[in-house]
Amino acid sequence: MSNDPYSLATEAAAVLRRRTGVDDFDVALVMGSGWVPAADAIGETVAEIPVTDLPGFAAPAVAGHAGKVRAVRTSSGRHSLIFLGRTHLYEGRGVEPVVHNIRTAAATGVRVVVLTNAAGGLRPETQRVGEPILISDHINMTGANPLTGSTFLDLTHVYAPRLRALAREVDPTLAEGVYVAFRGPTYETPAEIRMLRTLGGDMIGMSTVLEAIAAREAGAEVLGVSLVTNPAAGLVGEPLNHEEVLAVGRATATRMGDLLGQVVDKL
């Protein structure tokens, strides 16, 4: 097994092709906390394997992440990779495992990446729990980046306007917002939430941005969708917990799956 992250991704892609019987994939979807049940509505499952069967992948350490990768054929005949779970920076494995899924997907031919997550809402005055919000931009507060050295990557349109427009064709009610990523695993303090509102953030979470950067490095377009599962800390006076995140995901799984399935068919 190679120590180079890009070679490791190529090795994982080769195993993925062999195990699924699919040579090239069109789109990859990463299902965040609570989003796993939505995967069933995206298309017909061709194959499903544990991610630990692929070089460079470890089992997810977070409840609500299934630790599998699924090959799906959509109604329009496209082949999609669905990662049922992800690795988070707070797990302590470093940056490379966090973006290994994206680099593996790119090595299979994927040129569109759909990133989903569960997020706290920074604007409860306008956001409803259970509401999907398109990510228009992000603020990286993780202190990390998957790129090193003199690799200067333009992130002006990291979340593709074209893909957001396609999503709004499916659901014109979709709002947009700026996603803020913290390293975690602690939830943010009320003071941090007030700071992020001042900075222009709309949703807060612990994933997505590093994957988005890796996808753009690979030349893929990115669509990001946050599911608001709770108001952020200090905005309503209630403590935060992961069980609430998963419950909202289960309650909205059908709607989220239909949304993603229709968007993928339009790509």
Side-chain angles (χ1 to χ4, degrees), residues 38-266:
D40 295 335
I42 294 172
E44 174 193 359
T45 298
V46 175
E48 183 175 284
I49 60 176
V51 292
T52 49
D53 286 0
L54 303 176
F57 284 87
V62 185
H65 290 252
K68 296 180 180 179
V69 59
R70 181 182 297 179
V72 168
R73 183 182 297 107
T74 69
S75 59
S76 60
R78 290 180 173 84
H79 284 106
S80 300
L81 274 178
I82 304 180
F83 291 93
L84 302 175
R86 54 161 51 99
T87 296
H88 296 81
L89 193 60
Y90 58 71
E91 294 174 37
R93 297 171 180 160
V95 174
E96 298 299 344
V98 173
V99 299
H100 183 53
N101 55 349
I102 302 303
R103 288 173 174 161
T104 297
T108 68
V110 162
R111 287 299 173 262
V112 173
V113 173
V114 180
L115 301 173
T116 74
N117 60 58
L122 296 174
R123 311 286 173 181
E125 62 272 18
T126 58
Q127 296 168 340
R128 299 188 310 274
V129 169
E131 176 184 16
I133 298 179
L134 300 175
I135 301 175
S136 59
D137 206 344
H138 71 230
I139 300 173
N140 185 1
M141 303 287 282
T142 68
N145 195 304
L147 309 187
T148 59
S150 56
T151 302
F152 304 110
L153 181 67
D154 177 41
L155 296 180
T156 303
H157 296 299
V158 59
Y159 302 95
R162 179 185 78 89
L163 299 182
R164 302 204 308 272
L166 285 178
R168 285 193 299 272
E169 288 180 14
V170 172
D171 185 351
T173 69
L174 287 171
E176 294 192 355
V178 175
Y179 178 84
V180 185
F182 270 34
R183 184 186 185 94
T186 54
Y187 290 113
E188 300 71 37
T189 67
E192 289 170 333
I193 294 304
R194 292 193 298 271
M195 174 191 72
L196 297 178
R197 282 169 57 95
T198 301
L199 291 176
D202 298 296
M203 299 88 72
I204 176 71
M206 305 174 191
S207 67
T208 302
V209 299
L210 302 184
E211 292 165 315
I213 293 169
R216 293 300 300 132
E217 180 199 22
E221 290 183 291
V222 179
L223 176 67
V225 188
S226 290
L227 177 63
V228 175
T229 55
N230 55 272
L235 298 181
V236 294
E238 297 293 327
L240 305 179
N241 64 81
H242 191 61
E243 289 72 22
E244 180 182 23
V245 170
L246 299 182
V248 172
R250 288 190 294 268
T252 59
T254 299
R255 181 189 176 192
M256 297 304 101
D258 288 344
L259 170 65
L260 293 179
Q262 292 182 64
V263 169
V264 169
D265 276 341
K266 280 182 168 289

